[in-house]
């Protein structure tokens, strides 16, 4: 198993999908930093403290795009492994399907972690001379980073299961991106309902608790909160992310064991 992981690390460093995902996430975060800079100066001159954004507000702005970035990276990376015959060759050499599947998912998970770590680090370095040091404490930033990584883990496990079930075909990126989009749309609608319940006394709140739980369970809901540096209920969101990762891994393994490779 250790040799499989080592080989995956080598291939991962050469993966164009990983470099593309990291680059796109960094470009988006940097674009937000620079595009908001002049607007921020206006609010500073007007002494409008409520509308002034500080550096920490940009560190995790990429989080809302993370689902799409991971969908593209996972499809490209796993698609290459399947199409090159690497997966079939490992099984032909007597390596169990469980180990092969876990090694493939391991690579996707590590790629997601790399994007989650490198992107805010780049934003921090570039944003320091523009916005000054973050005003939020290090614990909040580190907790948010940990949260994005856990959500990335759940998405990586989900996308690995979907792509593997489709035999690593390039078209697998479509259902993965569709899942990311559906989750984001659902999270947006749930968020609107929650805000309406919180801001309008007398609104029917029978479904409020259920919707709050569902919002924290959806990866898109978790990422939207992390993008805004919201860490209240972190343990609940972390538990939901881990539960989805375990469930996706179990389903993916079951499908892969029964899959007929060509």
């Amino acid at each position: 198993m250790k040799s499989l992981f080592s080989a995956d690390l080598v291939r991962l460093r050469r993966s164009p999908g990983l470099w593309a995902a990291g680059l796109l996430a960094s470009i988006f975060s940097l674009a937000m930093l620079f595009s908001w800079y002049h607007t921020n100066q206006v609010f500073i001159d007007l002494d409008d403290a409520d509308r002034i954004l500080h550096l920490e507000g940009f560190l995790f702005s990429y989080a809302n795009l993370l689902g799409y970035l991971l969908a593209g990276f996972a499809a490209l990376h796993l698609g290459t492994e399947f199409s090159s015959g690497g997966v079939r060759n490992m099984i032909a050499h007597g390596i169990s399907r469980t180990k092969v599947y876990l090694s493939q998912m391991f690579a996707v998970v590590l790629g997601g972690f790399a994007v989650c770590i490198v992107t805010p680090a780049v934003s921090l370095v570039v944003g320091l001379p523009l916005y000054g040091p973050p005003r939020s404490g290090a614990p909040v930033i580190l907790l948010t980073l940990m949260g994005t990584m856990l959500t990335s883990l759940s998405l990586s496990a989900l996308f690995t299961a979907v792509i593997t079930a489709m035999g690593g075909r390039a078209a697998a990126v479509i259902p993965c991106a569709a899942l990311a989009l559906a989750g984001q749309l659902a999270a947006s609608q749930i968020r609107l309902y929650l805000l309406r319940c919180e801001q309008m006394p007398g609104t029917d709140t029978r479904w409020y608790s259920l919707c709050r739980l569902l919002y924290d369970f959806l990866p898109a809901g978790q990422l939207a909160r992390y993008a805004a540096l919201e860490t209240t209920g972190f343990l609940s969101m972390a538990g939901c992310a881990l539960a989805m990762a375990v469930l996706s891994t179990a389903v993916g393994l079951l499908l892969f064991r029964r899959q007929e490779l060509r």
Side-chain angles (χ1 to χ4, degrees):
M1 195 68 178
K2 184 178 179 180
S3 59
L4 281 179
F5 287 164
S6 298
D8 285 329
L9 283 175
V10 173
R11 289 193 292 270
L12 188 62
R13 287 197 296 268
R14 302 172 181 172
S15 173
L18 174 60
W19 287 97
L23 183 61
L24 288 173
S26 299
I27 289 174
F28 178 80
S29 295
L30 294 179
M32 293 294 290
L33 276 170
F34 288 111
S35 66
W36 190 263
Y37 179 71
H38 294 294
T39 305
N40 222 38
Q41 294 304 308
V42 173
F43 293 146
I44 292 174
D45 293 337
L46 295 174
D47 197 23
D48 191 350
D50 292 335
R51 302 176 72 180
I52 296 173
L53 291 184
H54 303 287
L55 178 57
E56 62 269 22
F58 301 97
L59 295 181
F60 300 96
S61 56
Y62 71 92
N64 288 317
L65 298 178
L66 188 59
Y68 304 104
L69 295 173
L70 289 181
F73 158 62
L76 183 58
H77 181 77
L78 294 177
T80 300
E81 292 298 302
F82 274 88
S83 62
S84 66
V87 172
R88 184 180 59 234
N89 290 338
M90 284 187 283
I91 295 174
H93 280 80
I95 301 175
S96 71
R97 290 199 174 212
T98 298
K99 290 182 179 180
V100 172
Y101 183 88
L102 291 178
S103 71
Q104 297 302 306
M105 192 181 82
F106 170 77
V108 178
V109 168
L110 279 188
F113 285 175
V115 173
C116 290
I117 294 172
V118 171
T119 306
V122 171
S123 299
L124 182 63
V125 171
V126 175
L128 275 173
L130 297 174
Y131 292 86
R135 296 195 177 187
S136 295
V140 173
I141 295 176
L142 291 176
L143 199 62
T144 305
L145 175 61
M146 187 183 302
T148 58
M149 292 175 68
L150 287 173
T151 305
S152 169
L153 169 65
S154 67
L155 287 171
S156 297
L158 175 63
F159 294 152
T160 299
V162 173
I163 296 166
T164 302
M166 295 184 64
R169 295 181 179 86
V173 70
I174 297 176
C176 289
L179 283 173
L181 176 60
Q184 194 168 44
L185 292 176
S188 298
Q189 293 302 310
I190 293 172
R191 180 61 176 167
L192 289 174
Y193 174 76
L194 294 175
L195 288 173
R196 188 163 57 247
C197 291
E198 293 167 0
Q199 295 176 1
M200 297 178 61
T203 303
D204 184 4
T205 58
R206 288 176 298 178
W207 297 102
Y208 181 84
S209 298
L210 179 60
C211 288
R212 168 59 67 183
L213 179 62
L214 181 58
Y215 186 74
D216 288 345
F217 178 79
L218 289 172
Q222 297 169 17
L223 292 173
R225 295 190 61 189
Y226 292 138
L229 247 68
E230 295 180 15
T231 56
T232 53
F234 172 80
L235 291 179
S236 174
M237 291 190 290
C240 290
L242 290 174
M244 177 174 283
V246 170
L247 179 61
S248 299
T249 302
V251 172
L253 269 172
L254 180 63
L255 294 174
F256 186 58
R257 286 170 181 167
R258 298 182 178 183
Q259 189 176 38
E260 185 175 338
L261 299 176
R262 297 180 179 179

